[in-house]
Amino acid sequence: MRDGWSTAGAPPRARSGGALMAARTLSRVAGTPLWSQLLADLRRRLDQDEFGAAFPGELALVAEYGVSRHTVREAVRRLRDEGVVVAGRGRSPRRAEPAEIEQPLGEIYSLFSAVEATGRVQRSVVRTLDVRADGVVAARLGLEESTPLVHLERLRLADAEPLAVDRVWLPERLAAPLLEVDFARTGLYAEYATRCGVRVTGGSERIRAVVPGVAESVLLGTPPDVAAFAIDRIGLAGGVAVEWRQTLVRADRFSVTARFSARDGYRMGGAS
């Protein structure tokens, strides 16, 4: 069928997942180019995860929508320019994989900054921001067990996709001004330095592979049997412990790397 002809009442044309499908109708009288209508519908279907991990090939889209190959190529080209699909010469288009967020360990890093550096928008859903006592955490910070602590728990998002569950404890005597901060679109370290005069300059981390509990899997949007990385961090300012943090990050968005040389030996690093 050629562009300019109505597909209303057209017989089944295309196969998707092994099942016959009727051609989708695009308006020939609306004044909007067919490629633009096709682009809008493909965006809608991608947003609804209708294609899963696979994206239809050129000929399948021609048959499904009853349009020309030129129309399909223009719509797919724009999806490719937007970074939504990947297509190369002689290869079928496919959905673009989420970009891995990379930041070397062995230096102070902020998950907020690491996400933003990729061009993605980092946003947090604040689940808890209060003052409480926690004897175990206080001991890790070298404090008396009854010491009041500011506790912040966030669900970290990258372009609206769940990335990590982040829980932080800070001494209240240092971090009390942070109780007034909206952490939906700002990083903890920047606010800690600006509002409290506390700059995290070092620390240590331990990284473990774990299977999250059901509630955390739901928050992260992962199947219950998929592993994640658990990161335990002590943050130091001038050699004094000023932060205890536990982060659970999706393993499909996080990788651990190592650097080594004859001069410097072996250094662990990672991406988050």
Side-chain angles (χ1 to χ4, degrees):
M1 182 171 296
R2 296 174 298 160
D3 290 3
W5 291 48
S6 171
T7 59
R13 302 284 305 264
R15 293 180 178 272
S16 177
L20 247 87
M21 297 180 59
R24 293 175 180 265
T25 302
L26 300 178
S27 173
R28 267 65 178 178
V29 296
T32 304
L34 290 177
W35 66 261
S36 181
Q37 296 180 51
L38 175 58
L39 176 62
D41 197 51
L42 290 175
R43 284 176 179 151
R44 175 189 62 80
R45 296 174 69 185
L46 283 162
D47 288 343
Q48 296 175 355
D49 288 330
E50 187 173 330
F51 299 122
F55 187 81
E58 184 178 288
L59 293 179
L61 291 173
V62 166
E64 185 175 358
Y65 285 91
V67 295
S68 69
R69 295 181 72 171
H70 173 77
T71 296
V72 169
R73 286 172 180 169
E74 181 62 19
V76 172
R77 180 184 71 79
R78 292 176 181 258
L79 289 175
R80 185 176 66 246
D81 291 345
E82 295 170 5
V84 177
V85 300
V86 177
R89 185 178 297 275
R91 303 181 66 179
S92 299
R94 66 186 188 278
R95 293 197 64 165
E97 296 294 329
E100 189 172 85
I101 300 161
E102 187 166 342
Q103 172 66 48
L105 295 181
E107 59 187 61
I108 297 299
Y109 69 91
S110 159
L111 189 59
F112 180 91
S113 299
V115 172
E116 297 272 310
T118 67
R120 307 173 80 181
V121 176
Q122 202 281 169
R123 187 172 64 84
S124 294
V125 177
V126 178
R127 294 169 51 81
T128 303
L129 178 56
D130 61 17
V131 176
R132 62 181 64 186
D134 187 308
V136 173
V137 173
R140 286 174 175 151
L141 290 169
L143 303 171
E144 294 291 335
E145 293 185 359
S146 60
T147 302
L149 304 171
V150 171
H151 177 56
L152 171 64
E153 179 178 332
R154 294 169 290 174
L155 174 63
R156 313 291 293 272
L157 308 173
D159 279 351
E161 293 283 335
L163 173 64
V165 179
D166 197 34
R167 301 179 178 98
V168 185
W169 292 263
L170 313 162
E172 185 198 22
R173 63 179 179 81
L174 300 176
L178 299 182
L179 294 168
E180 305 301 322
V181 176
D182 179 4
F183 282 102
R185 280 286 294 126
T186 189
L188 172 64
Y189 284 174
E191 297 292 341
Y192 209 4
T194 301
R195 294 174 181 260
C196 309
V198 178
R199 187 175 301 277
V200 177
T201 56
S204 62
E205 289 186 338
R206 183 176 67 142
I207 301 174
R208 298 169 290 126
V210 300
V211 176
V214 174
E216 289 172 325
S217 293
V218 171
L219 284 174
L220 291 172
T222 58
D225 57 346
V226 171
F229 285 104
I231 305 171
D232 298 335
R233 174 188 291 188
I234 282 281
L236 305 177
V240 177
V242 295
E243 170 201 28
W244 169 252
R245 183 189 300 245
Q246 292 181 314
T247 303
L248 192 67
V249 61
R250 288 176 52 153
D252 58 348
R253 307 284 176 85
F254 182 93
S255 66
V256 176
T257 61
R259 296 174 184 158
F260 62 92
S261 70
R263 185 186 68 180
D264 299 328
Y266 193 83
R267 290 185 59 197
M268 291 296 296
S272 66

